[in-house]
Amino acid sequence: MSTSLVLTICAPDRPGVMSRVSNTVAENGGNWLESRMARLGGQFAGIVRIECGEEDAKQLKEKLKALDSDAISVQIHEHGDLTNSPYTRCLRIDIFGNDRPGIVSQLTQAISHAGANIEELNTSIESAAMSGHPIFHASGSICLPNETDEQCLIDAVENLSDDLNIEIG
């Protein structure tokens, strides 16, 4: 039997952080399945899904936690069960608008209240082409149950502000 683990990793950004983590996974019977990684504010942050044999899991977890001595923080989470997930229809989104404090909170609440689930969300602040004014940009994947109309999601986001636009692809 195998088990799937989700790791969250954070460390001061420097060469070799992911090399240390990936070597630890490989040397202890783990298989790297998927990951998302980024440098944010001088920190390296990542999320990783790995698989290993149940007999290897205990040692692998211990070795990953021992990376803390090298200032690499690894949190280990058991893989969730998605067999009965009602979120069957996923949409790619791009959202643009004037930046303001609280925009991510407002956006995520609107998505949730529309009955949607955030599968992936990347946010950034960009400069407007002509004015240099800060523009909020969010992109990612939002999943809906079959019975939820995507127009409900569009309306929920666009009703937050006159300057907020959502594009669905």
Side-chain angles (χ1 to χ4, degrees), residues 15 138 151:
Q151 189 61 46

Side-chain angles (χ1 to χ4, degrees), residues 12-149:
D13 189 37
R14 64 187 185 276
V17 170
M18 285 315 299
S19 177
R20 289 286 315 271
V21 175
S22 62
N23 285 342
T24 301
V25 169
E27 291 171 356
N28 292 281
N31 183 27
W32 196 282
L33 300 176
E34 61 183 317
S35 60
R36 312 270 188 311
M37 298 172 244
R39 179 176 184 259
L40 298 168
Q43 295 288 318
F44 175 84
I47 53 174
V48 180
R49 186 170 66 96
I50 63 171
E51 187 175 66
C52 65
E54 287 183 7
E55 65 281 354
D56 296 321
K58 182 179 179 187
Q59 179 176 326
L60 176 56
K61 289 177 184 180
E62 289 172 2
K63 296 291 185 175
L64 287 167
K65 289 182 187 245
L67 292 174
D68 197 50
S69 66
D70 196 23
I72 301 172
S73 171
V74 180
Q75 302 253 330
I76 303 165
H77 312 273
E78 299 298 323
H79 183 264
D81 179 15
L82 299 175
T83 54
N84 293 321
S85 176
Y87 302 99
T88 54
R89 200 166 33 109
C90 293
L91 310 167
R92 295 293 308 162
I93 60 156
D94 272 302
I95 300 169
F96 296 92
N98 291 323
D99 185 41
R100 62 183 179 276
I103 194 167
V104 174
S105 175
Q106 294 167 355
L107 176 63
T108 56
Q109 287 180 43
I111 291 169
S112 176
H113 288 131
N117 188 46
I118 297 171
E119 186 85 6
E120 178 183 1
L121 186 66
N122 298 298
T123 65
S124 62
I125 304 299
E126 302 168 4
S127 293
M130 300 299 275
S131 68
H133 182 76
I135 299 294
F136 171 78
H137 178 215
S139 63
S141 179
I142 307 296
C143 298
L144 301 165
N146 277 336
E147 63 274 3
T148 301
D149 180 26

